[in-house]
Amino acid sequence: MNPILHKIVETKHSEIKESRGRSLPTRKIPIRDWKSHLKTSSVSVIAECKKGSPSAGILRPSYDPVTIAKEYENAGAGAISVLTDEEYFFGSLRDLESVASAVSLPVIRKDFILDPIQIDEAYAFGASAILLIVRILTPTELESLLKHAHQLGLSVLVETHNEKEVFVALDAGATTIGINTRDLDTFQIHKNLIEEIAPKLDPSIIRVAESGIESFEDWQKYMGMIDSMLVGTYFMKSPNISRDFHSLLHGTKSI
């Protein structure tokens, strides 16, 4: 495991210990249907609210997740991803709650989830879905966390990086598979990964392309292979999200 990823996982274990016994708020936000927003007649966008990352540092100094999320919704996003990790990605559960309260789209908690208590937090703070990363979980852990999320009515995006991890995800019961072109061990992007893996997945699976999508041309070659794409850094670096959202989908900056 990459030293940075290993450090993040260690931090998560410490946070989980601190979370035990802590009371959670009563959920006030309805769970919004994941599949109908992502598996549509065209490729949908899971647009991400992310202030920064360990590899890129601060991406958006004037970060207001609610304003960004509303702009995403108005631009036509299918769902919104909110980074909730505080120490490495500068997010919070309050960001999740604020965004989920402000939009009518399904919102996914994107974090390094290792324990059911983190799923309980996601539910309490308004998420309609969570992210689970195969790379940091055993097959047994993955299956258990998937079941826990589904019992709460939450959808799950299961992130993979190779065919072996895809098989693990499917065996655990995943119905939404994310193919992350970024190798979490090296942080390198392998764009051909989508073309290698996505066509082999059953059409009933919601297939999500993750990382490295920064242009109309980037995702056009995936047409017919994916149902959705998760895009964060491209938008976070943009001075005009609405314009560049349109440019990403249509290949023109007409806005």
Side-chain angles (χ1 to χ4, degrees), residues 73-114:
E73 183 171 35
N74 291 335
I80 294 173
S81 168
V82 178
L83 260 294
T84 58
D85 174 79
E86 294 189 33
E87 187 161 338
Y88 302 95
F89 289 85
F90 318 104
S92 70
L93 283 166
R94 292 298 174 189
D95 288 348
L96 174 66
E97 184 176 48
S98 297
V99 168
S101 299
V103 300
S104 58
L105 299 175
V107 177
I108 181 169
R109 180 187 187 183
K110 191 174 182 186
D111 210 316
F112 299 83
I113 292 178
L114 306 168

Side-chain angles (χ1 to χ4, degrees), residues 22-28 94 97 120-121 123-126:
R22 187 183 298 164
S23 60
L24 294 172
T26 300
R27 184 185 179 109
K28 300 175 183 177
R94 292 298 174 189
E97 184 176 48
D120 294 338
E121 290 171 342
Y123 177 84
F125 283 88

Side-chain angles (χ1 to χ4, degrees), residues 2 4 9 25 33 36-37 47 72 102 136 144 152 159 166 189 215 221 255:
N2 177 281
I4 295 176
V9 169
D33 185 62
S36 65
H37 282 84
Y72 284 153
I136 62 174
S144 176
L152 292 174
E159 180 177 298
V166 169
I189 297 288
S215 71
K221 61 184 177 181
I255 293 178

Side-chain angles (χ1 to χ4, degrees), residues 29-74:
I29 301 162
I31 293 176
R32 295 175 177 118
D33 185 62
W34 176 255
K35 184 175 182 178
S36 65
H37 282 84
L38 296 191
K39 205 166 182 68
T40 63
S41 58
S42 60
V43 174
S44 61
V45 178
I46 304 172
E48 191 156 86
C49 295
K50 174 173 67 175
K51 185 174 182 177
S53 71
S55 58
I58 298 295
L59 291 167
R60 199 173 188 88
S62 56
Y63 178 72
D64 181 348
V66 171
T67 298
I68 293 166
K70 287 181 176 179
E71 197 163 359
Y72 284 153
E73 183 171 35
N74 291 335

